[in-house]
Amino acid sequence: MAGFREYKIGARIFGLALSGSMAITLFFPSINIASTASTDVALAKQLSVGHETGFNLDDPLLKGKNKPLIVNLKTDPKTGQPLAQQQTVFVYPAGTPFPAGILHPRILGTGVEELSVQQGHIEDARKEEGAVFALNKAVYQGKEVNFIEDLSTTKGWKPEDVMKVAKDEDVSHAGAGKTMFVREGCWWCHTLLPEETQDWQVFGAPPMQGDFNGESPTAFGSDRKAPDLLHVGSRNSSREWMMMHFFNPRLVQPHSIMPRFDYLWGEKDANGNKIDYAKWRQEYSEYTEGKRVTPPEVPSYASNSEIRSLIDFMLSLK
Amino acid sequence: MFKYLMAKNEDIPSGASAVFFGFSSIIWFVIGTGLGSFNAAKLAFPDFVTGDMYFAFGHMRQVHVLAVIFGWISMAFAMAMMYITPALGNNKLWSEKLGIWNCMLWNVGLLVGLTVLWAGITSGREYSDFPWPVDLYLASFVFIPLGVNVWMTILNRRTQGIYTTNWFFAAATFMVIIVFLVGNSPEFFHLTGLTEAYLTWWFAHNVLGLWITPVAAAIAYYTIPKITGNPLYSHRIGHLHFWSVVVFYSTPAAHHLMSAPLPEWLKSFASVEGVLILVPAIAFVSNIMLTMKGKWHMFVENVEVRFTITGCLMAIPLNMQGGFQQTRAINWYIHGTGWIVAHAHLALLGFSTFLEAAAVYLGLQTLLNRKLYSLKLANMHFWLLLVGFTTYWVSMTIAGLIQGAGKIYEVPYIDVVIAEHPYMIARWLGGTLVFTGNTMWLYNMWMTARKGTVIPAGRMPHELQYER
């Protein structure tokens, strides 16, 4: 065996050079990134989309299973009395995996971690029983800091009680919607990253360094063939428009090159009637050929359909 | 192939695994570019095959990208390694049987991986899209066995020194395993947030910089001296190339996220290192060009030399773009536009594909002992690839400049989409030409294996006349 004996020095320098690169490109950046404290954006994002939206064992086929719900709460779930002020809560039904920030409060960053653990009691949340989380604010070392509060511990609010008092229109399936966003590859064309240079006027403020703690995948996107969506919910909050646009983008924007996502409606519409896609397409082509004055009506989606989650996610991108 | 899986190592003919890798790579190239052409058609004509989840653009784009990277390019690399490494060590491949198994498990794993990806089961991370079980499979049954075979062949060589090509092969197979395991660590350990975003691009950058670019270059270091008969112009420049790849190419990952909120020091550092990529690039191109001295007629007459030199020439604009487009001065204009898509195709379909195609042409003829079946088809393949790629590159570069202008002047986005439409059609035409060329190539190589003239023992393919 000839071995590497003539290459002793070379092999060592190779190891040194490669480890040097790894130190600079992995070790130092990770220390720097890990020291960033979460902003309220990061806290709300991880609570609304949960543990993981790429492939994971809780939802291996990316169907939007085992995801939290956002509830715009108007009634106290314990007493049944109306709340003085509406409150946004993040509901994790029993068995739903918690986001990284709850499992490892360390990643929340200085201040946020301490307050979430001491005042928010997030370490008392149990996956088997489920939990109800909300954002709260307190002063930490002279600065106002956002933190996560586990309402199941602090107020005794149970996920099932919250869901009992919540009406369907007050519930957002944004967590499952992000799964659709990842699965359908929306991010191949729509970035979630207004750039730090010249993007602000149309697409809104670029994100801050602390806006991502606990989020996975971040799905920034790299090849923007369509508008950035990080703040789309602030630009356009019309469900009606979103519905038409997803069913067939050419209904609202004739020059759009976006694919049709009509298949996310599933088998049945909001009233439980079977959706006749062939008929719809037939009528639509008659419309494009000028044989019809108006395009066919877009079927209204069922409240448990995939498109509902996706639209909920779009509207949550403020 | 299957009959060799259970055969004794010494009963498997030398070069068998390289031949299987060669044909697999061509088949994946046909599939990958076919998908590319289909995807491009959807961007040009959005209602072309619509309303079906499995033919939606978002389900197919990543299948195209990973089919060409891990099917075509990486399998062509494996093919090149399995016949060049022993040729340069004056020995046989360490284990043909491992090679055969490697090839089979690679094809199966890639097929399964791309199928689940097609169904939308993805990690949601660009270039590392495969779910983590597939990543673990690819590391264990694709890259590690390949590395072991290459390292053991080099260790058991019967020559005193190690030639440039084999330094690159040994180092790149090692580095790609590291890159694969570290780059996918966010999925293994559920690392989140900016760490996940940064590691996504760390993987994407390094899989190009420490795997595709150095191995493609290493192939040229073999093919050009071998076919022209000229010795490599300078081993010193080869050293410079090798060491500058290890030091400079492994560090600029953050330049893919120049407009994201990463730490500023990291972006600045990455950007400076990014310009230094010009060092290995210039070393490589000049070394190959100077090796051609006195043999430039072969650029016209010989298929493999023509492919290799064309690829090397494309490395010049590739690295000029690559070195400077990631600086803050230029990146703000072209980041996230079609310019980058054009650049990525210049790297993979221009520079590297042409070098690998040469290796597969040369390797299959050498190992099968058969002269290329048809020069005419090979010429057609070359020109369809070159014209198709150029159409694609020019149209996407223009589209990218339009998008960049739209971005900085904050034009309503739909006007950018309208302005890009003709270039999207051109892109689809270019991609279709490439796909057509590849189907011809597959036929040509198949016929070479069946009907090519037998090369007498001790002769190289290029010493025989082309017949058709």
Side-chain angles (χ1 to χ4, degrees):
Chain A
M1 199 152 109
F4 279 130
R5 51 182 187 274
E6 313 93 307
Y7 295 90
K8 253 187 192 152
I9 298 175
R12 282 172 194 172
I13 293 181
F14 175 78
L16 204 66
L18 201 64
S19 340
S21 306
M22 300 295 114
I24 298 174
T25 62
L26 291 171
F27 183 65
F28 296 122
S30 63
I31 292 180
N32 196 328
I33 292 171
S35 70
T36 311
S38 313
T39 58
D40 55 335
V41 175
L43 298 180
K45 244 194 310 189
Q46 62 170 302
L47 287 176
S48 58
V49 299
H51 184 250
E52 168 66 46
T53 17
F55 170 82
N56 65 91
L57 297 177
D58 295 300
D59 184 19
L61 300 178
L62 273 74
K63 294 277 185 198
K65 299 263 181 284
N66 286 316
K67 284 287 171 187
L69 302 158
I70 311 175
V71 175
N72 197 3
L73 201 59
K74 293 167 183 160
T75 317
D76 186 318
K78 234 178 155 183
T79 59
Q81 298 300 311
L83 287 172
Q85 208 179 1
Q86 295 188 16
Q87 191 179 5
T88 304
V89 296
F90 304 90
V91 180
Y92 283 68
T96 310
F98 292 149
I102 305 291
L103 300 175
H104 313 286
R106 193 171 49 84
I107 70 146
L108 296 174
T110 320
V112 189
E113 178 195 352
E114 285 80 355
L115 290 176
S116 301
V117 171
Q118 288 154 19
Q119 293 193 30
H121 296 281
I122 57 171
E123 287 184 328
D124 296 332
R126 291 285 162 266
K127 182 181 161 187
E128 310 79 61
E129 292 156 26
V132 180
F133 298 106
L135 292 194
N136 207 338
K137 276 183 194 166
V139 175
Y140 183 80
Q141 294 180 347
K143 262 199 295 189
E144 196 177 58
V145 174
N146 292 283
F147 68 94
I148 302 175
E149 184 178 352
D150 171 19
L151 297 175
S152 329
T153 307
T154 56
K155 290 191 181 170
W157 290 3
K158 299 241 160 7
E160 53 276 17
D161 295 340
V162 173
M163 294 319 292
K164 232 176 264 166
V165 295
K167 293 200 188 82
D168 190 50
E169 65 259 32
D170 295 329
V171 178
S172 161
H173 295 249
K178 185 166 176 195
T179 305
M180 303 303 135
F181 188 83
V182 169
R183 186 187 77 192
E184 296 303 321
C186 306
W187 52 289
W188 290 122
C189 302
H190 294 279
T191 48
L192 289 180
L193 184 72
E195 300 185 1
E196 287 183 339
T197 45
Q198 197 72 20
D199 247 2
W200 303 30
Q201 201 179 328
V202 180
F203 297 136
M208 313 284 284
Q209 226 179 88
D211 280 359
F212 304 98
N213 297 28
E215 190 185 7
S216 174
T218 39
F220 284 162
S222 65
D223 175 11
R224 189 192 280 172
K225 297 184 276 294
D228 188 277
L229 294 183
L230 190 67
H231 303 295
V232 65
S234 307
R235 294 200 296 275
N236 184 346
S237 58
S238 162
R239 262 177 200 279
E240 185 80 353
W241 188 92
M242 297 262 173
M243 199 172 102
M244 292 173 74
H245 187 249
F246 276 117
F247 200 82
N248 184 339
R250 263 71 64 198
L251 287 174
V252 286
Q253 178 45 269
H255 297 288
S256 168
I257 59 167
M258 185 167 123
R260 302 182 194 180
F261 288 97
D262 45 8
Y263 55 84
L264 294 179
W265 262 249
E267 297 264 296
K268 291 186 176 154
D269 68 8
N271 304 319
N273 301 323
K274 201 168 172 2
I275 302 173
D276 191 346
Y277 290 101
K279 179 163 168 264
W280 197 93
R281 283 182 198 146
Q282 175 63 31
E283 289 177 359
Y284 177 73
S285 47
E286 283 168 13
Y287 162 70
T288 53
E289 287 156 17
K291 292 181 196 156
R292 265 176 76 110
V293 182
T294 52
E297 192 102 355
V298 172
S300 48
Y301 52 79
S303 68
N304 60 354
S305 59
E306 294 185 331
I307 190 63
R308 189 260 172 99
S309 312
L310 186 54
I311 292 178
D312 282 354
F313 177 62
M314 287 297 112
L315 296 176
S316 80
L317 293 170
K318 295 286 184 193
Chain B
M1 176 177 177
F2 299 106
K3 70 177 177 187
Y4 293 136
L5 288 173
M6 292 302 157
K8 281 194 191 132
N9 191 33
E10 50 273 25
D11 295 341
I12 305 173
S14 270
S17 41
V19 171
F20 290 128
F21 266 121
F23 277 103
S24 305
S25 72
I26 303 176
I27 291 169
W28 280 111
F29 198 15
V30 172
I31 295 171
T33 48
L35 289 170
S37 159
F38 188 84
N39 290 349
K42 294 180 80 73
L43 290 175
F45 314 106
D47 281 333
F48 167 68
V49 191
T50 192
D52 186 326
M53 175 161 155
Y54 295 104
F55 292 102
F57 179 83
H59 280 255
M60 294 180 68
R61 183 205 193 266
Q62 61 273 46
V63 182
H64 156 68
V65 172
L66 297 184
V68 293
I69 292 181
F70 294 115
W72 156 238
I73 292 175
S74 297
M75 280 202 190
F77 284 172
M79 188 273 177
M81 287 174 181
M82 296 212 170
Y83 90 95
I84 294 176
T85 310
L88 289 171
N90 196 17
N91 61 348
K92 287 187 170 178
L93 187 66
W94 181 63
S95 169
E96 280 292 342
K97 193 167 173 179
L98 180 62
I100 300 269
W101 273 95
N102 194 188
C103 181
M104 205 248 331
L105 293 174
W106 193 326
N107 276 304
V108 170
L110 194 60
L111 197 64
V112 171
L114 293 179
T115 307
V116 299
L117 214 52
W118 200 320
I121 301 165
T122 167
S123 67
R125 306 172 64 228
E126 190 168 357
Y127 289 105
S128 35
D129 315 64
F130 285 130
W132 58 261
V134 178
D135 293 331
L136 285 178
Y137 177 97
L138 292 181
S140 327
F141 299 115
V142 169
F143 291 113
I144 293 175
L146 175 68
V148 168
N149 228 348
V150 170
W151 305 326
M152 291 310 288
T153 306
I154 294 176
L155 286 174
N156 287 304
R157 71 192 180 279
R158 295 194 294 174
T159 56
Q160 202 192 359
I162 302 176
Y163 178 66
T164 321
T165 298
N166 274 352
W167 311 334
F168 277 99
F169 283 175
T173 42
F174 175 74
M175 292 190 290
V176 77
I177 293 168
I178 305 275
V179 168
F180 214 80
L181 292 176
V182 175
N184 283 304
S185 58
E187 292 166 47
F188 304 145
F189 305 115
H190 199 247
L191 308 178
T192 56
L194 268 188
T195 312
E196 182 272 324
Y198 173 57
L199 274 169
T200 299
W201 289 99
W202 187 91
F203 174 86
H205 177 84
N206 286 330
V207 84
L208 286 166
L210 302 180
W211 173 240
I212 295 176
T213 314
V215 180
I219 288 172
Y221 280 135
Y222 175 79
T223 41
I224 291 298
K226 185 73 187 176
I227 300 172
T228 60
N230 283 351
L232 183 63
Y233 175 74
S234 163
H235 281 82
R236 283 278 164 83
I237 298 181
H239 273 284
L240 176 66
H241 177 200
F242 179 84
W243 289 106
S244 51
V245 162
V246 175
V247 175
F248 299 142
Y249 227 137
S250 60
T251 41
H255 71 200
H256 293 258
L257 290 169
M258 287 302 278
S259 50
L262 282 182
E264 289 299 316
W265 69 266
L266 181 60
K267 289 195 270 185
S268 299
F269 170 78
S271 196
V272 173
E273 294 288 301
V275 178
L276 288 171
I277 289 178
L278 284 168
V279 175
I282 294 169
F284 164 65
V285 175
S286 52
N287 212 356
I288 294 293
M289 293 299 150
L290 289 165
T291 305
M292 282 293 288
K293 199 174 174 189
K295 297 289 167 68
W296 278 99
H297 59 95
M298 295 188 97
F299 179 42
V300 182
E301 292 161 5
N302 181 283
V303 172
E304 294 83 31
V305 171
R306 192 192 311 148
F307 267 99
T308 312
I309 293 300
T310 309
C312 291
L313 289 171
M314 286 203 261
I316 299 171
L318 169 70
N319 289 288
M320 288 296 162
Q321 281 193 330
F324 296 111
Q325 71 188 17
Q326 45 87 36
T327 57
R328 287 173 201 259
I330 300 177
N331 195 262
W332 72 296
Y333 195 93
I334 49 106
H335 180 262
T337 69
W339 171 289
I340 304 292
V341 182
H343 173 75
H345 282 77
L346 180 56
L348 297 185
L349 178 56
F351 161 70
S352 112
T353 282
F354 278 74
L355 301 182
E356 289 131 29
V360 176
Y361 268 111
L362 177 68
L364 286 180
Q365 290 179 75
T366 311
L367 297 168
L368 295 165
N369 275 321
R370 298 233 187 211
K371 180 70 181 174
L372 188 65
Y373 174 72
S374 166
L375 174 67
K376 272 199 194 111
L377 281 176
N379 283 339
M380 285 285 278
H381 178 218
F382 176 83
W383 286 108
L384 283 171
L385 233 59
L386 189 61
V387 173
F389 159 72
T390 310
T391 311
Y392 186 103
W393 186 76
V394 170
S395 62
M396 285 317 291
T397 300
I398 298 173
L401 291 171
I402 295 172
Q403 275 175 289
K407 179 169 77 171
I408 68 161
Y409 296 115
E410 313 224 5
V411 173
Y413 206 92
I414 195 64
D415 293 339
V416 176
V417 173
I418 295 167
E420 277 186 300
H421 183 61
Y423 304 99
M424 291 291 171
I425 296 175
R427 159 196 230 184
W428 165 63
L429 289 173
T432 308
L433 293 181
V434 171
F435 169 65
T436 314
N438 288 336
T439 53
M440 287 179 184
W441 187 29
L442 181 60
Y443 173 75
N444 199 10
M445 292 325 280
W446 184 253
M447 291 306 282
T448 303
R450 296 271 148 208
K451 299 238 172 80
T453 308
V454 175
I455 300 171
R459 292 279 160 204
M460 286 286 294
H462 65 268
E463 292 169 332
L464 271 68
Q465 284 290 322
Y466 290 107
E467 292 172 0
R468 288 176 201 86

